[in-house]
Amino acid sequence: MMRENTTPGAKTILFKTRLYNPNVIIGYRTTTNKSMRNLSQVAQLIRWMKIQRNGSNFKVFTSYNGTTWQQRYSGTIYMGDCILAGIFTESVLASRTSVAWFDDVEVASGLKTGEVFTLTESDPLNVEIYPNPAGDLVTILIPGNEGKVNFTITEIDGRLIEQSSFTGDETTLDVRHFKPGLYVIRLEIGGAMVTKRIVVM
């Protein structure tokens, strides 16, 4: 959900799904204190959900694998520069408690105008990166590698954060100076390119 503030009638856009049927619901309120409008769509195999804001334009996406995204909604809602973003669960029945489990949750900034982040990871060399998410140090392990590895780390908007190299099958990176968010690491190993994601907490 993204909303202008915490008041009950605030301008809002939200997206929700239910485990027991294939329908997903997009709700939005474009005018303060007006009724919420709801759109229902059939969407199979939904495991990932995303709301993307670009100024007053809001888009809703779904994905079955977290890398390939399908747009479900695009609309205009005029909100202030600073809004609230979060996740929620609700019960269909007022007398029944709802329980939900969320993972891989992220609030990211810096997307290019109109950009949909659809990184597809390619890994012919079984590169391991751990821990991921990370808070201070990250280990890159390439089993059996003996040559030089060139790599770059960028933010999801493409801005270069770090560029370096190492030789052998393992190295450790210090990410304590990274701000929390999602980063892309691209490794070049003997002409092969490997793309991975790193989440910094």
Side-chain angles (χ1 to χ4, degrees), residues 104-125:
D104 290 301
V105 176
E106 179 185 8
V107 178
S109 63
L111 288 174
K112 297 176 182 177
T113 302
E115 180 184 32
V116 180
F117 183 58
T118 56
L119 171 66
T120 300
E121 293 187 1
S122 173
D123 186 2
L125 301 175

Side-chain angles (χ1 to χ4, degrees), residues 34-46:
K34 295 295 184 180
S35 298
M36 181 82 73
R37 297 191 63 183
N38 293 300
L39 302 175
S40 180
Q41 297 182 16
V42 175
Q44 302 285 354
L45 300 174
I46 297 304

Side-chain angles (χ1 to χ4, degrees), residues 1-2 12-16 25-28 36 51 60 88:
M1 175 190 295
M2 291 185 179
T12 302
I13 182 166
L14 61 84
F15 180 75
K16 57 186 177 180
I25 297 174
I26 300 156
Y28 58 93
M36 181 82 73
I51 301 177
V60 173
F88 71 97

